[in-house]
Amino acid sequence: MLKDVSFGQYYPVKSFVHNLDPRLKILFLIGYIVAIFLAKELLALGVAAAVLLLAVLFAHIPFGKVLRAVRGVLFLVLFTAVLNLFFHGGDAVYWDAPAVLWEWKIFRVTQAGIMFSVFLILRLFLLVICSSLLTYTTTPVSLTDGIESLLTPLKWIRFPVHELALIMSIALRFIPILMDETERIMNAQKARGAMLDSGGPAKRVKAIVPVLIPLLLSAFRRADELGDAMDARCYSGGKNRTKYKKLHFSWRDLFALVLLAALIAGIVVMRFFPVFPL
Amino acid sequence: MAKALEYRDVSFSYGEESAFRMEHLNFSVEEGEFVAVLGHNGSGKSTLARLANGLLVPDGGEVAVFGTTVTQKNLFDIRRQVGIVFQNPDSQAVASIVEDDVAFGAENVGLPREEIGERIEFALRAVGMEEYRTATVSRLSGGQKQRVAIAGVLALRPKIMILDESTAMLDPRGRREIVEVVKELNKREGITVLLITHFMEEALLCSRAVVMNRGEIVMQDTPEGIFRRGEELVTYNLALPRIGEICNRLRAGGMEVPYTLGVDALAEEIAKCVS
Amino acid sequence: MRIVAEHLSYTYNADSPFATKALDDISLTIEEGEFFGIIGHTGSGKSTFVQHLNGLLRLPSSLKRGKKKDPAVLTVGEFDLTSRKTNFRALRRQVGMVFQYPENQLFAETVFEDVAFGYKNFAEKKPEADEVARAVREALEEVGLDYGEVKGMSPFDLSGGQKRRVAIAGVIVTKPEILVLDEPAAGLDPLGKREVMELLHRLREHWCKTVVVVSHDMDEIAENCTHVAVFAEGKVKKVLPPAELFPHAEELLSLGLDIPLTAKLVLALRKRGMEIDCDYTVEDFVKKVLAQKGEKC
């Protein structure tokens, strides 16, 4: 039953963060990413991390869940960090003295390199935590609503905002169904002796055909049926269409916005007037 | 007074290669009727449904809804009046959340927000799903999904509702749920219902039943009248409902029970014969 | 082959907020030669149970070394499904499984290729062409299709009922000893339904030793099954022959399950002071009713 692992990992509890306007949460994520990449000293990143910690607390998401999101990218992050550690030549962009600590052939570890790697790890972790916080606290539906609303200005250049949003929401709606379907078809073929998880690459590609074809056929069939059902309910594009759900910007959102603004402002200030220059 | 739904001399085919033909079909439904359409797979039942709201366009003849002929120009108005609920509970919902999906049709016709809210409430109450307003569609049972689909159609306040084998993929409990909801809508809201099905038992609740075969309407009668002609049904690849079979066997064994289709009615008759 | 399950439990998405217990300490034996019926609601655990029978779902002890030994016993003939050493491939050859709407698994360009798929997969070494052709022909003829006519056709050009029979042929082509079917008649019209039920009878008579069928159709269950297991909330509530199960009609109704028409009539007649002691097949019901009339006359 794959469908029980809901897509986007929405974590269904009630909280301050869950109730925020999705648009704001998307903006927050973008702003936050900008902020952590602007930050050039540990204190600034520390403040950013504290803000995020606060957000996680307010979201009532268990820390285990948050850490699990980090675990998913752990290897990738560490790998990049190690590469940087050895190969970051110490061309001091941020730091003045490229003090070489250890050198062997092409490998060179510098103080700057260490700092760079540490920053990289912290930034990527904060980024991952912040974006998973968005998907943990926002249903796919309101996420699409938020994106649609934020993209609305693009209607002026005839960008099909409504269609895009509808496609996204239908895709989200059908992901659990198709995942279920995939599992069913895989089971049926396994019962007929298909070896779906062994053999070399060529064999595996061949083995996937009996799953892929029925899956595609079923997706097309569903698309047909959905099209009819939409037509039967008077769908005719975004023109003259009203929207039942309106996004509301409330005092909570204002609070979060102020917090974000303060964070970015603080980090920018610290960038030019470092508190603990290295 | 104009008929709710009228097929006048309608011909239709799915192109040259297809073996299916509908030729000069005449058929009408009165306002407030509850009609069962029976037939084996491929007999033309679904074609009949799709012609009613312009999803399919007849090659000849015309379909009229409350006296208005369906054309490419008035599709929007026709579809507001003729709602169709389809077969597969998993491929009709557009949105992931129940209320968003029910709202879809009402949004399409540009109703103001407040009214959409009221219609969602009305529609969900009518199908007994008001407690599931903010539930996730994919987590509902088959019967519940189909009730949401009915609500999505109801939100447009149609006068005619067609269920195109909407019970075929459900378990017995789901089927009962749907049939009861529809029966209630017919009775309370006065909605004209066309129930397309191959479950003979469902036809017993209707005021009239028609049987289709190869694009033709071959029988039209009360459900009892239809099932009394059991042998004819078999020639159209349909089967007598099991209760009819029991009646037949009892009669063949010399017990003169009249042709009854309700469990209690038959028990009453048996008890009468025995005592 | 005999199927024995004892203390079998299964939880989906264990250790997550979505954990759901699908089987809760069930015990059940299916003897060789039975036409075994399984009834219960969606979510009662019946599908989870049957997916264990050919190892599509596996017990933790059969997957990981040193996993805490649980008390579960699950054997199908000689196969011990709790052991890691079990040859699950060989098991699948012996336990054919037809899923709901099996026509949705068809994929090959021709009916022949589709039916041959399972046969080739399970063959120890690459089989000879005429050997495959013989097996496919037998399977297609067994499900009532004309081999010469359909073998070269695309399975997608067939009618709904034919597609389903091709899909069933694709499962029985390896001559499994046990055939498990989940709602084999779902979505078919009355004629297609009757054909599928007749097919199951034929299969049990001379093709597979044991047939296990999951169904909502109580009338078919009452007519055909040797034993019926009632699943509810992950437990097995009862395992009885239909004649002994349907006297508990009220209990089944309280579980929200349907009962056969004959059982409904028996209840309705009881209210009117008439006791019909039948085995709940239509034939026996009619016989007993007529007999009562005979006594009175």
Side-chain angles (χ1 to χ4, degrees), chain B residues 40-41 171-172 198 254 268 274, chain C residues 42 188-189 216 272 293 296:
Chain B
H40 63 91
N41 289 342
D171 61 13
H198 49 229
E268 191 67 52
V274 169
Chain C
T42 322
L188 295 178
D189 59 15
H216 289 300
R272 291 167 176 80
K293 191 193 170 220
K296 290 280 160 72

Side-chain angles (χ1 to χ4, degrees), chain B residues 29 39 144 179 190 195 268:
Chain B
V29 180
Q144 289 173 328
V179 174
L195 180 71
E268 191 67 52

Side-chain angles (χ1 to χ4, degrees), chain A residues 3 170-181 184 218-219 221-227 229 233, chain B residues 85-96 101 136-149 165-166 168-170, chain C residues 42 100-101 104:
Chain A
K3 75 171 166 212
I170 289 175
L172 289 169
R173 148 104 184 89
F174 277 85
I175 280 170
I177 293 177
L178 289 179
M179 275 166 66
D180 241 23
E181 189 107 337
R184 252 197 314 269
S218 132
R221 195 169 53 236
R222 281 182 198 286
D224 253 0
E225 290 165 357
L226 180 70
R233 285 202 271 163
Chain B
V85 181
F86 295 90
Q87 183 181 35
N88 194 332
D90 277 325
S91 32
Q92 294 178 68
V94 181
S96 310
D101 187 62
T136 308
V137 179
S138 59
R139 285 177 185 274
L140 300 177
S141 73
Q144 289 173 328
K145 284 177 193 165
Q146 287 298 62
R147 283 195 274 161
V148 171
E165 294 200 38
S166 310
M169 295 178 78
L170 302 180
Chain C
T42 322
Q100 265 187 55
Y101 302 101
N104 290 349

Side-chain angles (χ1 to χ4, degrees), chain A residues 187-192, chain C residues 47 49-56 92-100 102 105 167-168 170-172 174 176 178-182 212:
Chain A
N187 274 339
Q189 306 301 31
K190 273 195 220 161
R192 293 208 278 164
Chain C
S47 299
F49 173 69
V50 294
Q51 287 189 46
H52 274 89
L53 299 182
N54 71 346
L56 284 174
R92 278 183 198 159
R93 196 196 155 109
Q94 294 303 330
V95 184
M97 190 158 300
V98 178
F99 284 85
Q100 265 187 55
Q105 75 195 24
I168 294 176
V171 174
I172 63 163
T174 53
I178 299 173
L179 183 64
V180 183
L181 305 101
D182 191 354
V212 179

Side-chain angles (χ1 to χ4, degrees), chain A:
Chain A
M1 279 218 253
L2 290 162
K3 75 171 166 212
D4 278 349
V5 185
S6 62
F7 180 76
Q9 308 157 330
Y10 178 67
Y11 191 81
V13 290
K14 284 201 167 7
S15 85
F16 177 83
V17 182
H18 282 73
N19 283 333
L20 288 174
D21 188 319
R23 290 172 296 184
L24 182 107
K25 281 188 269 189
I26 296 167
L27 287 177
F28 189 101
L29 176 64
I30 297 169
Y32 192 82
I33 294 171
V34 172
I36 53 178
F37 278 92
L38 279 178
K40 67 169 188 176
E41 55 179 314
L42 280 174
L43 179 69
L45 273 188
V47 172
V51 168
L52 194 56
L53 184 73
L54 205 68
V56 171
L57 280 175
F58 271 107
H60 298 310
I61 305 284
F63 282 100
K65 282 284 289 181
V66 177
L67 290 181
R68 203 170 302 168
V70 174
R71 205 174 59 193
V73 292
L74 193 60
F75 174 75
L76 191 75
V77 171
L78 288 182
F79 181 73
T80 336
V82 168
L83 273 189
N84 271 293
L85 182 62
F86 288 118
F87 296 108
H88 188 278
D91 35 314
V93 183
Y94 299 124
W95 300 278
D96 299 329
V100 177
L101 300 176
W102 178 81
E103 204 165 1
W104 182 69
K105 291 199 174 155
I106 55 162
F107 300 102
R108 188 157 70 140
V109 176
T110 64
Q111 196 186 349
I114 293 176
M115 286 313 288
F116 189 83
S117 298
V118 169
F119 264 70
L120 188 81
I121 293 175
L122 285 177
R123 277 182 182 141
L124 289 178
F125 278 172
L126 290 179
L127 188 150
V128 168
I129 293 173
C130 192
S131 24
S132 60
L133 190 63
L134 176 70
T135 51
Y136 280 150
T137 62
T138 319
T139 59
V141 182
S142 45
L143 207 55
T144 8
D145 282 351
I147 292 171
E148 180 178 9
S149 172
L150 287 173
L151 291 179
T152 308
L154 292 180
K155 271 186 186 157
W156 288 93
I157 56 163
R158 305 210 160 188
F159 186 80
V161 176
H162 159 74
E163 282 76 7
L164 188 77
L166 188 70
I167 290 169
M168 277 171 58
S169 91
I170 289 175
L172 289 169
R173 148 104 184 89
F174 277 85
I175 280 170
I177 293 177
L178 289 179
M179 275 166 66
D180 241 23
E181 189 107 337
T182 313
E183 199 196 359
R184 252 197 314 269
I185 295 169
M186 280 173 68
N187 274 339
Q189 306 301 31
K190 273 195 220 161
R192 293 208 278 164
M195 303 298 271
L196 296 174
D197 29 27
S198 55
K203 237 185 174 164
R204 279 197 198 195
V205 169
K206 219 180 132 197
I208 209 158
V209 171
V211 175
L212 208 58
I213 288 179
L215 188 63
L216 283 175
L217 284 171
S218 132
F220 289 144
R221 195 169 53 236
R222 281 182 198 286
D224 253 0
E225 290 165 357
L226 180 70
D228 277 348
M230 286 169 69
D231 274 345
R233 285 202 271 163
C234 298
Y235 181 68
S236 60
K239 243 172 114 190
N240 302 326
R241 201 170 181 275
T242 44
K243 255 190 113 42
Y244 170 58
K245 282 235 168 107
K246 273 238 160 61
L247 298 172
H248 289 290
F249 203 81
S250 67
W251 60 268
R252 293 192 208 93
D253 303 295
L254 193 68
F255 172 79
L257 195 63
V258 169
L259 192 68
L260 176 68
L263 178 68
I264 295 180
I267 283 172
V268 170
V269 168
M270 281 183 354
R271 192 180 164 88
F272 295 107
F273 305 101
V275 185
F276 301 110
L278 290 156

